Amino acid sequence: MSVTNFSAGADLSGHGFPPTKVTMPALAEMKRQGKPISALTAYDYATARLVDEAGIDLILVGDSLAMVVLGHDNTLAVTVEEMLHHTRAVRRAVRRALVVADMPFGSYHGGVEAAVANATRFVKEAGAEAVKIEGPRAELVRALANAEIPVIGHLGLTPQSVHRMGGFRVQGRNADAVRRLRADALDLERAGAGAIVLEGIPREAAAAITAELRIPTIGIGAGPDCDGQSLVFHDLVNLTFAPQAKFVRRYGDAAALFHSAIERYREDVEHRAFPSDRESYHLPAESREKREMDFEDTDAVVNRDALQDFGEPGRS
Ligand code: KIV
């Protein structure tokens, strides 16, 4: 059991007032004001809550979860149902950040109508505030915008094109390819995209596209000149079990932290050092003195209220 509810009126900003919600228009305003946009993936309640409380502006429920959470070799296998499941968990955690759901491979590659229907599910059933689609799909972006679904484009190294690209390879490596990227980005902007993720392209190409667009660019492996930056959560904290890509910076070592905590727990269990008497519930003192096995007082449900009655385990 874990007590995970928000307390009423929780202040997640740390400044004593409710946080200002990040919206799609707010991202455009940040670009206008030259304020860098921070983005990070999250896939579950606990990490999304930490990411939101840390003040990240945009939380992407990325289809990268296929790899870092579900253990697939690439992003292709994850389904709409799985993405909805994770988006719902993130939605429950987030108060401030813009929640963006990645449309998985196959969910927007048929007709526009089916794609809009799938995107609608992310907004209606999972609470996403925008969806992200990969590739130069201006027609679909226009249809989504007409359906009141904010949409973020994704150009460059688009992981759902892994087979076409022949692997996860840096894109836009010659003048022609950069020209194409710039044209695609402008098309997406004209079609109504609210922002564009630029992944795995040369810094110079990302800088030129960023300067040309009115909408923000969010870079991942695209150099420092984008309007915002994104990373995959598991890369940031070393939970990926794979060699680190050049563009990743590790800000923490969760793998080491988890290993140590889990090993110490296992050792304590094996040495009967966990749980201690202080971490155990007890019969009321009178029953203990009378040696009565009266369990009536002990069957309270161990929820937040009960914790107040019992005292938190280990603190009674
Ligand atoms: O799925 C994902 O995590 C992404 C990011 C790489 C932007 O699309």
Side-chain angles (χ1 to χ4, degrees), residues 140-302:
L140 177 55
V141 167
R142 197 166 291 110
L144 290 167
N146 285 339
E148 306 296 350
I149 299 174
V151 53
I152 293 182
H154 184 162
L155 295 174
L157 194 172
T158 46
Q160 292 174 11
S161 317
V162 59
H163 295 319
R164 178 180 54 74
M165 295 182 303
F168 297 119
R169 295 174 182 281
V170 173
Q171 303 294 299
R173 292 178 73 94
N174 58 50
D176 261 1
V178 172
R179 261 194 295 277
R180 238 185 348 264
L181 277 174
R182 290 170 73 169
D184 290 344
L186 282 167
D187 276 354
L188 291 181
E189 175 176 271
R190 277 192 288 267
I196 298 180
V197 169
L198 296 176
E199 178 168 1
I201 62 172
R203 170 182 182 169
E204 298 73 18
I209 293 169
T210 299
E212 242 169 304
L213 295 182
R214 280 175 295 107
I215 58 172
T217 58
I218 313 283
I220 173 163
D225 307 305
C226 296
D227 298 304
Q229 294 293 330
S230 183
L231 278 176
V232 167
F233 179 87
H234 290 56
D235 286 337
L236 181 97
V237 297
N238 188 27
L239 276 180
T240 39
F241 307 96
Q244 182 177 316
K246 178 177 181 175
F247 65 83
V248 169
R249 189 182 294 177
R250 281 186 180 151
Y251 285 88
D253 192 351
L257 178 76
F258 285 2
H259 270 141
S260 150
I262 295 162
E263 276 168 20
R264 284 189 292 119
Y265 164 70
R266 178 184 53 73
E267 281 164 15
D268 280 355
V269 170
E270 287 174 1
H271 293 96
R272 297 197 182 285
F274 176 83
S276 68
D277 186 57
R278 277 168 56 78
E279 289 156 333
S280 307
Y281 296 106
H282 292 283
L283 286 169
E286 326 83 75
S287 307
R288 267 185 280 166
E289 279 157 19
K290 284 191 269 166
R291 294 182 180 279
E292 281 172 5
M293 295 305 277
D294 173 6
F295 286 100
E296 258 177 37
D297 288 338
T298 65
D299 64 359
V301 177
V302 185

Side-chain angles (χ1 to χ4, degrees), residues 41 60 62-64 102 132 154 197 199 220 232:
T41 66
L60 172 67
D63 63 351
S64 50
D102 232 350
K132 177 169 81 59
H154 184 162
V197 169
E199 178 168 1
I220 173 163
V232 167

Side-chain angles (χ1 to χ4, degrees), residues 29-65:
E29 183 56 28
M30 287 176 79
K31 171 160 183 150
R32 271 193 291 279
Q33 293 183 9
K35 276 192 185 166
I37 296 164
S38 56
L40 190 58
T41 66
Y43 316 102
D44 62 34
Y45 181 89
T47 54
R49 191 151 170 180
L50 294 174
V51 171
D52 193 43
E53 290 179 8
I56 293 291
D57 299 312
L58 185 161
I59 296 182
L60 172 67
V61 188
D63 63 351
S64 50
L65 73 83

